[in-house]
Amino acid sequence: LEDQYPASLFRLYLINTPRVFRLIWSLVAPWLDPDTVARIHILGGGDSVLQACLVDGVSPAALPPCAGGTAGQEPVADLI
């Protein structure tokens, strides 16, 4: 099945998720493909988001201020 539907997700960041979501994710993640799980990052708020994104090469200008970034009114596509 994976040969017919290759993964198109590069990375997914979920920030400021409620605890119940993290609990559900911990129950669901073992059933998913390890490559897919490695692409999904569930982060807290503030500096931890900024630090994790900087490690992965995401510019602070692409993150909203609530995630520790400096994004303004520029379109995100122009920042990546």
Side-chain angles (χ1 to χ4, degrees), residues 16-28 42:
N16 296 330
T17 56
R19 289 183 186 190
V20 68
F21 180 83
R22 290 180 223 154
L23 174 67
I24 293 169
W25 175 250
S26 67
L27 297 172
V28 171
I42 301 175

Side-chain angles (χ1 to χ4, degrees), residues 1-51:
L1 186 62
E2 289 180 15
D3 293 335
Q4 278 72 35
Y5 300 99
S8 60
L9 176 69
F10 182 65
R11 268 187 217 117
L12 174 66
Y13 294 95
L14 300 171
I15 59 172
N16 296 330
T17 56
R19 289 183 186 190
V20 68
F21 180 83
R22 290 180 223 154
L23 174 67
I24 293 169
W25 175 250
S26 67
L27 297 172
V28 171
W31 285 315
L32 299 175
D33 184 79
D35 291 335
T36 301
V37 174
R39 294 177 183 154
I40 299 173
H41 304 276
I42 301 175
L43 305 169
D47 292 337
S48 66
V49 173
L50 180 60
Q51 291 170 355

Side-chain angles (χ1 to χ4, degrees), residues 48-78:
S48 66
V49 173
L50 180 60
Q51 291 170 355
C53 290
L54 288 175
V55 167
D56 284 341
V58 177
S59 169
L63 297 173
C66 65
T70 60
Q73 298 297 320
E74 310 88 29
V76 174
D78 294 339

